[in-house]
Every structure is written in structure tokens, then in C-alpha cells.
């Protein structure tokens, strides 16, 4: 009769015993062992409504001026139009996209936008703008959350409002009519890069569009390109950019734009997990 070699038998016993040892250790823990009091989350005052900025938000546009914005092309002061408490895309030739003066890593962003009732055009030419969640330079595509009139306008679904342009179809189309204000609430986790520029961890985005979740922790494949496959290019912090798409009809308006930095450490571990 054949017998197991002693070392193999021992290995089998140890493998079977490992989960039991972990269970034994867990059963010896007290409930206090998994309850922590540090680090305490900062106490902040929420906004009057969920659309209003909480006390720790950075106000990017409050209806008064575009002081927090610069030209994305040359970083001169932004030359869009501020009127009736709204920030309007400039149709003037050469004005182009604007971006925030400040740069951000992981954040929560609230932004409201409106398509004019006089909107004309179709497909991608109807109310096209965009919120670039990281604008990494004039030569880069960046990471675009599409703005478009999709109330009654057919286009490719990975390019409609609420899409991560050409990468993620929104989970629903909760578009409001032109002339009505619409909201994006965005949670952005920036990509991380190794010192040699290679990707350490991808970007993730969650988007709530008019109160409806349209992107659920979507893992981006890189920058959102008009032509070609997405790819990553290393950056650390980046401004947020708004798109002047050059549509002919009355421009798109924005209002109530605020952001909160998220002090998020994806590698955080509790003591018993280390
Ligand atoms: Mg766009």
C-alpha cells in the first residue's frame, strides 16, 4: 500500500488548518478591537439644500464673475459671458474653452447647465459642451463628461449627455427639456501613476444626472478621444475644463459650480487588516 510522503501530509494538514486558525483568532477578538476613533472625519455644515455648497466647498462660480476661470489655451482671464447669474459659453471666434485656475485630484463636483429653448441643430451639433474632469494640457484630450441636448435628439449613445465620451454609455437618459436647468454631481477618483509614467491605478467616476445615477464607479480606459482608442498620460493634479464646442445657436449656460477636495487614500487599512 502507498503512503503519502510525510512532508506532503504535513502540508495538507497545515492548509486545512489555516482557515481554522484565522477563525480561532477572530473568535478571540472583542467588538472593541474593530472600532476606531481616529482619524475623525471633519465636521462641516451642509448646504441649505443638497444643491447648495457645504461649508468646505470651493466655489467655482456663484453667479457673479468668472474669476476662478482662465482660458484653457493660454491661461489669460476667461472671456465667457456672465449675465443673469449664469456663465455662458462665448460664441466669439477664438475665445474657446475655459478651465479652473485651481487644480484638483480626487473630488466631488456639482455643476448645473442649461440648453437654450432656441437650440438648433441635431446629433452632436445640438447643445454640445462638456465638463472635462481633468484638463491635462492644450494638447491633451482630457477626460470629458459630455453635455448635450438629449431630450429629443438622437446621437451615438456613448456620446450623449451623461456619457464619458466614447467610453461609457450612461445607465439612463434623464435629460430635461431645453430651457430647464440640469445637474451633474460627480465623484472623481484621479488615476495614479508610477514614477516612470506608467499607470498605477485607473481613474474612476460616478455621475448623478438630475438625481439619477448614470455612471457607477466607471473605470476609465484613459483620456476621452474623438478619434482613436483611449490611453493614459501621467499627471498629478489638473484643472476642470468647460467646452466651447462652437455651436451656432444661443450658447449653453452654467451656474452653481462648486467642488470639494476628497482626501481619499485608496490604500488605507485598519490595523487588523495590515
Ligand atoms: Mg462635448
Amino acid at each position: 500500500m502507498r503512503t503519502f510522503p510525510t512532508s506532503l501530509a504535513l502540508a495538507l494538514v497545515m492548509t486545512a488548518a489555516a482557515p481554522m486558525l484565522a477563525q480561532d483568532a477572530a473568535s478571540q477578538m472583542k467588538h472593541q478591537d474593530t472600532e476606531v476613533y481616529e482619524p475623525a472625519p471633519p465636521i462641516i455644515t451642509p448646504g441649505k439644500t443638497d444643491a447648495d455648497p457645504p461649508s468646505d466647498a470651493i466655489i467655482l462660480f456663484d453667479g457673479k464673475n468668472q474669476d476662478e476661470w482662465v482660458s484653457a489655451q493660454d491661461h489669460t482671464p476667461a472671456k465667457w459671458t456672465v449675465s443673469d447669474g449664469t456663465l455662458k459659453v462665448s460664441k466669439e471666434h477664438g475665445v474657446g474653452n475655459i478651465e479652473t485656475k485651481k487644480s484638483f485630484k480626487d473630488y466631488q463636483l456639482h455643476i448645473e447647465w442649461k440648453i437654450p429653448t432656441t437650440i438648433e441643430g441635431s446629433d452632436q451639433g445640438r447643445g454640445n459642451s462638456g465638463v472635462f474632469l481633468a484638463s491635462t494640457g492644450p494638447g491633451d484630450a482630457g477626460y470629458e463628461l459630455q453635455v448635450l441636448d438629449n431630450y429629443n435628439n438622437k446621437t451615438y449613445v456613448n456620446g450623449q449627455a451623461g456619457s464619458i465620451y466614447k467610453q461609457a454609455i450612461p445607465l439612463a437618459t434623464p435629460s430635461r427639456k431645453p430651457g430647464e436647468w440640469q445637474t451633474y454631481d460627480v465623484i472623481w477618483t484621479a488615476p495614479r501613476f508610477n514614477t516612470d509614467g506608467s499607470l498605477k491605478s485607473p481613474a474612476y467616476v460616478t455621475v448623478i444626472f438630475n438625481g439619477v445615477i448614470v455612471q457607477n464607479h466607471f473605470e476609465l480606459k484613459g483620456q476621452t478621444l474623438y478619434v482613436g482608442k483611449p490611453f493614459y498620460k501621467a499627471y498629478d493634479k489638473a484643472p476642470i475644463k468647460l467646452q466651447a464646442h462652437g455651436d451656432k445657436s444661443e450658447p449653453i449656460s452654467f451656474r452653481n459650480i462648486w467642488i470639494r477636495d476628497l482626501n481619499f487614500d485608496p490604500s488605507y487599512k485598519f490595523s487588523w487588516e495590515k
Side-chain angles (χ1 to χ4, degrees):
M1 183 178 143
R2 280 189 69 187
T3 54
F4 282 117
T6 312
S7 58
L8 179 59
L10 189 62
L12 284 169
V13 168
M14 285 180 73
T15 306
M20 289 179 67
L21 288 171
Q23 273 178 7
D24 283 352
S27 69
Q28 284 165 16
M29 287 176 83
K30 301 190 290 289
H31 69 87
Q32 292 93 338
D33 294 338
T34 48
E35 295 164 6
V36 300
Y37 292 83
E38 297 288 341
I43 294 168
I44 61 170
T45 308
K48 228 178 231 176
T49 74
D50 293 353
D52 293 311
S55 57
D56 65 346
I58 297 163
I59 310 297
L60 295 176
F61 180 68
D62 64 359
K64 296 190 183 87
N65 60 60
Q66 49 193 321
D67 291 359
E68 287 291 331
W69 301 83
V70 293
S71 158
Q73 199 58 39
D74 56 15
H75 291 182
T76 55
K79 295 181 196 70
W80 284 15
T81 311
V82 177
S83 63
D84 304 326
T86 69
L87 177 61
K88 287 189 175 68
V89 178
S90 173
K91 288 192 296 177
E92 275 183 51
H93 183 70
V95 172
N97 304 330
I98 61 169
E99 67 183 25
T100 54
K101 277 183 187 169
K102 295 185 176 77
S103 290
F104 305 95
K105 196 160 186 168
D106 306 322
Y107 60 79
Q108 172 188 354
L109 172 72
H110 177 90
I111 185 165
E112 303 180 16
W113 52 276
K114 186 173 75 172
I115 304 287
T117 51
T118 52
I119 192 71
E120 292 169 11
S122 62
D123 201 333
Q124 291 286 307
R126 188 178 174 85
N128 196 328
S129 182
V131 182
F132 287 82
L133 304 170
S135 171
T136 52
D140 290 347
Y143 303 81
E144 184 183 11
L145 166 60
Q146 178 69 303
V147 169
L148 195 72
D149 175 27
N150 281 122
Y151 182 71
N152 194 6
N153 176 35
K154 205 168 164 88
T155 188
Y156 43 92
V157 293
N158 58 348
Q160 69 171 70
S163 70
I164 299 304
Y165 188 68
K166 291 197 172 175
Q167 284 192 41
I169 301 163
L171 301 172
T173 307
S175 294
R176 293 195 172 114
K177 285 180 190 172
E180 295 181 13
W181 283 101
Q182 320 214 42
T183 63
Y184 280 156
D185 286 287
V186 181
I187 298 112
W188 174 255
T189 304
R192 264 68 172 171
F193 297 90
N194 298 305
T195 46
D196 66 358
S198 61
L199 184 69
K200 190 175 179 185
S201 60
Y204 295 95
V205 71
T206 294
V207 180
I208 299 168
F209 178 13
N210 293 336
V212 175
I213 190 157
V214 292
Q215 300 294 345
N216 180 16
H217 197 61
F218 173 72
E219 179 184 322
L220 280 85
K221 298 169 182 75
Q223 300 187 35
T224 52
L225 275 67
Y226 180 45
V227 179
K229 292 180 184 176
F231 61 89
Y232 276 105
K233 189 174 142 190
Y235 79 95
D236 184 37
K237 290 181 169 186
I240 289 163
K241 183 168 75 181
L242 300 180
Q243 186 181 37
H245 195 264
D247 295 351
K248 290 193 189 80
S249 48
E250 191 187 328
I252 290 139
S253 309
F254 293 91
R255 73 174 184 189
N256 192 21
I257 311 172
W258 51 265
I259 192 166
R260 297 181 58 248
D261 274 317
L262 298 179
N263 296 311
F264 172 64
D265 177 5
S267 62
Y268 183 84
K269 281 188 170 28
F270 291 108
S271 58
W272 58 90
E273 295 174 320
K274 286 172 187 166

